[in-house]
């Protein structure tokens, strides 16, 4: 099995809107910040199977259980995280399996009182079983000494097991180390499971870019594209790299960058940014930024950093363990020494054995492993649901929020045009209006025209359309099924001297006004429709204890109020600039509210940074907002906000269950051990057994159902 330093597994990525496209990315594609970001799941001294090669760790970062990794290729305490991964690449379960077989065989020989199984033979038998699983732990304890990180779990395990051998308790010494190793293997599996769920979330970008070189089109990985190369982007594809447009004009969906649904038309020489979606025709773009600076690299860096920010509970346990471990060693020494002056029939071997039991019981593995793993399990469960937490601390804060402030466009609405209302004129049938207007609009590539065609569907199929004239800034004029039809804005009807009702001027949404044979025929409104789960999101948040729901938008206030009423949001404000949104958020924070802000556009980034928890819509959200946010909803579903709160509460509950389990069992067995009522076997359960139970409990988070209750 590969060592962490050898892992460079490909991550699938996607360029097109269709996530079916897949490819690979390696670590050299990351930004410098990503390349040096912390790895692993932030369990002190337990950095197993990182998503990407693990960088240098520090003793402080790894708390009580690991040490700074030397630059040379020598074994370190961090190697302990890989102690089950044999250097030769063998199965990590091989040597523990052999050790278990030797232990069980030895116990059987002891029970049968076989004559030859005594003295050196018995020592060698159990010694081999011990070395197979214990040599890396002892090595880690030795290599931790130069860094000054002496009092760690490796030292406790080494002292306890070697001490057991010193007094002839060979089976117990092997059992302690074997079960400890089994716990590590189990933890490896738990962490890798969580990491796989995070990795799967990242398989949404493509690796294929069409590059034009020497007059030929080449299909390359984005990381192979150089500055100045010209790439081709087909209709429907997401632009993978920043660059300048090389054709006369093209339209792009810029919702990922601007937060608004209206498409933008770019002219030759203007900048096209990664994340924009090409809407109409094949375009060519001269690359001005490398792939390392795209959204993909930043999301990867975010995932790598996800457990770097510790929750308050983790920080406490880390500080506690750094003080706790040397105290345990001192107390274990006193268990040997003090009875000499107090007990009349003092027997050194008896009190040494009790001291070794004390050491095993006191090992803080259950806490320093299971608590961060609990938070990591929460992060993994969230990732499976399409939610990325940038740090375990935000799981705690998410549980505490009482106010949710949301942007409108791209957050609660789809960020795309759709027909909202059809209002035929008196004497005109709705079906006839839609058939004529829909047929004429098929001759246009404008996004509003496409929205009308989509709404009309097959009703316009087969209708004859002739002599179509597209009047820039006004609309279309043509013959449809023998009728002269106008479809566009009010200025188009004015141009052709067609009178229309005054109510048309009062419509707030984008409007398509129609006339047939010189007579006003009605209008259609086209607007940004709410997302399918937007109303559900509002209902779930209210039911989940959120006392204040607010919508802030840069769109017209009339549209904002309409959407708020439709979704059931009590307070909404429209026509806002970014600084206006920030002013509202600051006001709520001054009122003492615990606030989450949800947004997607660049204009939301400052407000996301102000909030206690900043939440970004990551599917089409802007890079700036995603970078600033604390939580990213990759699926763009606002209902995931309530899901994130449920995951946060479940994680908090599991973490505290583990804390009380660890402290409770250890306290009982410590008392029994001090009185001579507990053996090394009970000590093994109090340490490794409790750690395994805590890890099982932490893994349980990823199996929970966090859908709507």
């Amino acid at each position: 099995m590969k060592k962490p330093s050898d892992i460079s597994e490909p991550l699938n990525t996607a360029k097109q809107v269709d996530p079916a496209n897949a490819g690979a990315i390696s670590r050299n594609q990351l930004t410098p910040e990503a390349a040096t970001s912390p790895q692993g799941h932030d369990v002190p001294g337990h950095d197993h199977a990182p998503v990407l090669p693990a960088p240098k760790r520090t003793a402080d970062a790894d708390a009580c259980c690991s040490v700074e990794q030397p630059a040379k290729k020598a074994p370190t305490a961090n190697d302990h995280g890989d102690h089950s991964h044999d250097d030769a690449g063998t199965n990590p379960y091989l040597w523990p399996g052999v050790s278990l077989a030797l232990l069980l065989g030895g116990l059987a020989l002891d029970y049968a009182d076989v004559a030859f199984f005594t003295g050196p033979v018995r020592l060698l038998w159990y010694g081999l079983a011990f070395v197979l699983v214990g040599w890396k732990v002892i090595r880690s304890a030795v290599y931790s000494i130069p860094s000054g990180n002496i009092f760690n779990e490796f030292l406790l395990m080494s002292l306890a097991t070697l001490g057991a051998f010193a007094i002839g308790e060979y089976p117990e010494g092997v059992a302690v180390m074997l079960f400890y190793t089994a716990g590590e293997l189990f933890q490896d599996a738990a962490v890798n499971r969580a990491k796989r769920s995070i990795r799967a979330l990242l398989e949404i970008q493509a690796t294929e870019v069409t590059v034009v070189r020497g007059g030929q089109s080449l299909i390359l990985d984005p990381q192979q594209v150089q500055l100045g190369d010209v790439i081709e982007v087909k209709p429907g594809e997401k632009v993978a790299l920043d660059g300048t447009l090389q054709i006369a004009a093209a339209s792009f969906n810029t919702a990922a960058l601007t937060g608004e649904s209206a498409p933008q038309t770019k002219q030759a020489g203007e900048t096209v940014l990664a994340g924009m979606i090409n809407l109409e025709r094949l375009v060519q773009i001269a690359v001005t930024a490398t792939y390392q600076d795209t959204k993909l690299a930043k999301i990867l860096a975010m995932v790598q950093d996800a457990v770097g920010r510790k929750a308050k509970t983790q920080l406490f346990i880390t500080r506690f363990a750094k003080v706790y471990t040397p105290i345990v060693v001192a107390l274990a020494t006193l268990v040997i020494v003090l009875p000499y002056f107090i007990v009349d029939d003092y027997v050194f071997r008896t009190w040494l054995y009790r001291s070794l039991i004390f050491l095993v019981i006191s090992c803080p593995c259950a806490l320093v492993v299971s608590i961060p793993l609990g938070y990591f399990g929460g992060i993994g469960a969230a990732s499976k649901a399409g939610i990325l937490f940038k740090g375990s601390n935000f799981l705690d804060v998410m549980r505490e929020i009482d106010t949710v402030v949301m942007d409108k466009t791209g957050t609660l609405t789809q960020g795309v045009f759709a027909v909202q209302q059809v209002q035929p004129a008196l004497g005109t049938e709705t079906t006839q209006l839609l058939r004529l207007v829909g047929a004429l609009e098929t001759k246009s590539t404008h996004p509003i025209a496409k929205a009308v065609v989509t709404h009309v569907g097959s009703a316009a199929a087969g209708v004859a359309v002739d002599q179509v004239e597209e009047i820039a800034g006004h609309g279309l004029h043509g013959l449809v099924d023998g009728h002269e039809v106008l479809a566009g804005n009010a200025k188009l009807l004015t141009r052709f001297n067609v009178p229309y009702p005054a109510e048309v001027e009062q419509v707030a949404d984008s409007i398509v006004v129609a006339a047939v044979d010189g007579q006003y025929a009605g209008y259609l409104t086209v607007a940004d429709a709410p997302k399918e789960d937007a109303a559900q999101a509002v209902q779930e948040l209210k039911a989940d204890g959120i006392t204040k729901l607010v919508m802030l938008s840069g769109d017209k206030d009339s549209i904002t109020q309409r959407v708020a009423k439709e979704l059931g949001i009590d307070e909404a404000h429209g026509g806002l600039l970014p600084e206006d949104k920030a002013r509202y958020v600051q006001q709520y924070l001054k009122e003492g509210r615990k606030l989450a802000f949800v947004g997607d556009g660049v204009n939301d980034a400052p407000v996301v940074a102000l909030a206690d928890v900043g939440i970004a819509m990551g599917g089409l959200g802007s890079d700036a907002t995603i970078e600033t946010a604390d939580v990213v909803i990759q699926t763009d579903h606002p209902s995931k906000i309530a899901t994130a709160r449920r995951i946060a509460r479940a994680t908090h509950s599991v973490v505290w269950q583990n804390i009380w389990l660890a402290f409770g069992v250890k306290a009982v067995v410590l008392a029994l051990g001090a009185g001579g009522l507990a053996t090394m076997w009970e000590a093994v359960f109090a340490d490794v057994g409790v750690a395994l139970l805590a890890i099982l409990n932490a893994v349980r988070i990823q199996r929970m159902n966090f859908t709507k209750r």
Side-chain angles (χ1 to χ4, degrees):
M1 193 163 178
K2 295 180 180 178
K3 292 174 71 61
S5 58
D6 298 328
I7 295 176
S8 56
E9 303 168 25
L11 292 181
N12 291 334
T13 56
K15 174 181 61 177
Q16 291 188 333
V17 178
D18 182 357
N21 299 290
I25 183 172
S26 61
R27 185 168 183 79
N28 60 12
Q29 293 172 245
L30 297 177
T31 59
E33 294 79 9
T36 57
S37 62
Q39 304 294 320
H41 51 85
D42 206 27
V43 180
H46 297 74
D47 298 310
H48 308 281
V51 176
L52 292 170
K56 181 177 179 180
R57 298 284 299 245
T58 63
D60 181 64
D62 287 330
C64 72
C65 299
S66 69
V67 301
E68 185 175 355
Q69 184 170 340
K72 63 182 180 179
K73 192 67 176 178
T76 69
N78 272 348
D79 288 334
H80 141 266
D82 183 47
H83 67 74
S84 62
H85 300 197
D86 185 74
D87 294 337
T90 56
N91 189 309
Y93 300 96
L94 175 60
W95 299 128
V98 174
S99 178
L100 176 62
L102 289 172
L103 174 62
L104 294 177
L107 290 173
L109 291 171
D110 280 335
Y111 181 79
D113 198 19
V114 177
F116 77 87
F117 196 66
T118 58
V121 173
R122 186 170 183 267
L123 175 60
L124 286 173
W125 182 285
Y126 284 116
L128 177 59
F130 176 79
V131 168
L132 288 175
V133 291
W135 75 274
K136 283 193 174 182
V137 175
I138 297 173
R139 182 190 63 174
S140 296
V142 173
Y143 275 100
S144 69
I145 295 173
S147 70
N149 185 26
I150 301 173
F151 297 101
N152 49 51
E153 63 175 293
F154 312 125
L155 177 68
L156 296 182
M157 282 297 170
S158 299
L159 290 177
T161 53
L162 291 175
F165 266 75
I167 60 175
E169 300 291 345
Y170 308 146
E172 296 183 7
V174 173
V176 169
M177 195 61 76
L178 179 60
F179 286 123
Y180 174 77
T181 302
E184 293 297 291
L185 289 171
F186 189 88
Q187 183 191 335
D188 274 344
V191 171
N192 288 335
R193 173 187 168 87
K195 284 186 178 294
R196 282 195 299 272
S197 64
I198 291 177
R199 288 171 63 88
L201 189 66
L202 301 176
E203 297 179 355
I204 56 172
Q205 290 277 87
T207 52
E208 292 185 350
V209 176
T210 304
V211 182
V212 180
R213 289 179 182 172
Q216 294 184 338
S217 295
L218 306 175
I219 305 298
L220 301 176
D221 284 343
Q223 75 249 32
Q224 296 175 314
V225 179
Q226 302 172 2
L227 295 178
D229 276 344
V230 175
I231 63 173
E232 290 184 339
V233 184
K234 300 178 181 65
E237 279 189 344
K238 183 181 292 184
V239 178
L241 300 162
D242 295 351
T244 55
L245 190 64
Q246 300 298 294
I247 66 172
S251 294
F252 296 89
N253 180 336
T254 65
L257 303 173
T258 65
E260 296 302 323
S261 55
Q264 287 187 10
T265 299
K266 296 290 185 179
Q267 305 298 326
E270 291 187 343
T271 299
V272 180
L273 300 177
M276 291 182 175
I277 299 173
N278 181 22
L279 294 177
E280 298 175 357
R281 58 178 64 89
L282 179 70
V283 302
Q284 292 186 333
I285 298 170
V287 175
T288 59
T290 60
Y291 189 64
Q292 287 89 330
D293 296 324
T294 62
K295 181 191 295 184
L296 173 62
K298 294 172 183 177
I299 290 180
L300 280 173
M302 179 182 63
V303 174
Q304 290 175 285
D305 290 336
V307 290
R309 299 178 180 181
K310 296 184 179 181
K312 291 180 180 179
T313 308
Q314 282 182 271
L315 292 172
F316 166 75
I317 292 300
T318 298
R319 292 192 299 266
F320 169 80
K322 292 176 73 173
V323 176
Y324 168 85
T325 307
I327 292 176
V328 164
V329 174
L331 290 176
T333 304
L334 290 177
V335 169
I336 302 173
V337 176
L338 281 181
Y340 177 80
F341 302 100
I342 300 173
V343 179
D344 293 333
D345 55 345
Y346 177 81
V347 178
F348 174 77
R349 187 185 183 282
T350 300
W351 290 101
L352 174 60
Y353 184 69
R354 293 184 183 183
S355 175
L356 297 176
I357 294 173
F358 185 88
L359 283 177
V360 174
I361 297 171
S362 302
C363 187
C365 289
L367 294 174
V368 299
V369 171
S370 64
I371 292 172
L373 189 58
Y375 281 105
F376 195 82
I379 291 173
S383 72
K384 288 173 65 178
I387 306 164
L388 288 179
F389 279 88
K390 283 190 178 180
S392 50
N393 53 328
F394 299 118
L395 280 163
D396 281 347
V397 181
M398 192 70 190
R399 181 180 55 86
E400 300 169 354
I401 63 171
D402 55 30
T403 301
V404 176
V405 181
M406 293 175 279
D407 176 48
K408 179 182 74 69
T409 307
T411 300
L412 289 170
T413 62
Q414 297 174 11
V416 294
F417 285 114
V419 173
Q420 301 296 313
Q421 181 184 8
V422 179
Q423 186 63 52
L426 188 64
T428 302
E429 294 184 0
T430 300
T431 54
Q432 177 71 354
L433 174 65
L434 290 175
R435 189 174 72 90
L436 295 176
V437 173
L440 183 59
E441 294 285 21
T442 60
K443 303 304 179 181
S444 173
T445 59
H446 193 281
I448 290 180
K450 290 181 178 180
V452 173
V453 172
T454 300
H455 181 77
V456 173
S458 60
V463 178
V465 181
D466 300 304
Q467 302 178 27
V468 177
E469 177 189 9
E470 184 162 3
I471 303 171
H474 291 73
L476 297 174
H477 172 227
L479 292 178
V480 182
D481 206 13
H483 298 279
E484 181 187 12
V485 178
L486 298 171
N489 53 33
K491 291 187 293 184
L492 178 66
L493 270 64
T494 301
R495 178 169 179 156
F496 282 84
N497 299 315
V498 177
Y500 55 85
E503 67 180 85
V504 171
E505 299 284 359
Q506 307 301 318
V507 176
D509 293 333
S510 298
I511 188 170
V512 178
V513 188
V516 179
D517 294 329
Q519 298 294 320
Y520 169 73
Y523 66 84
L524 296 76
T525 61
V526 180
D528 190 8
K531 292 180 179 178
E532 292 182 0
D533 67 330
Q536 173 192 343
V538 172
Q539 294 170 3
E540 288 189 21
L541 287 171
K542 287 182 176 181
D544 202 43
I546 298 299
T547 58
K548 192 177 188 69
L549 272 169
V550 183
M551 184 170 70
L552 304 178
S553 177
D555 209 344
K556 295 178 182 178
D557 189 61
S558 58
I559 297 175
T560 302
Q561 297 300 333
R562 175 176 60 79
V563 173
K565 183 177 180 180
E566 181 179 347
L567 298 180
I569 297 174
D570 300 324
E571 183 177 339
H573 306 277
L576 303 178
L577 296 172
E579 54 265 32
D580 298 323
K581 293 183 179 181
R583 178 168 48 82
Y584 275 106
V585 169
Q586 287 172 334
Q587 175 186 327
Y588 300 139
L589 291 173
K590 286 179 181 178
E591 295 173 1
R593 293 187 171 276
K594 206 74 172 179
L595 183 145
F597 182 87
V598 192
D600 70 314
V602 170
N603 59 329
D604 294 324
V607 199
V608 166
L610 277 175
D612 294 303
V613 179
I615 304 175
M617 291 293 171
L620 288 177
S622 75
D623 287 355
T625 305
I626 289 173
E627 280 194 341
T628 307
D630 308 310
V631 180
V632 178
I633 297 177
Q634 283 293 98
T635 61
D636 280 344
H637 294 148
S639 58
K640 296 293 186 181
I641 304 168
T643 303
R645 278 175 54 80
R646 289 194 284 271
I647 292 172
R649 282 199 302 272
T651 301
H652 179 267
S653 175
V654 165
V655 164
W656 278 99
Q657 288 169 12
N658 286 348
I659 290 174
W660 290 117
L661 172 67
F663 277 123
V665 174
K666 284 181 181 292
V668 171
V669 181
L670 273 174
L672 294 174
L677 301 176
T679 67
M680 194 75 80
W681 295 102
E682 284 82 3
V684 168
F685 173 76
D687 175 43
V688 179
V690 171
L692 286 173
L693 290 175
I695 291 170
L696 277 171
N697 197 33
V699 171
R700 187 169 59 91
I701 298 175
Q702 295 184 62
R703 297 182 177 274
M704 293 180 179
N705 181 11
F706 294 106
T707 56
K708 185 177 181 295
R709 293 162 298 188

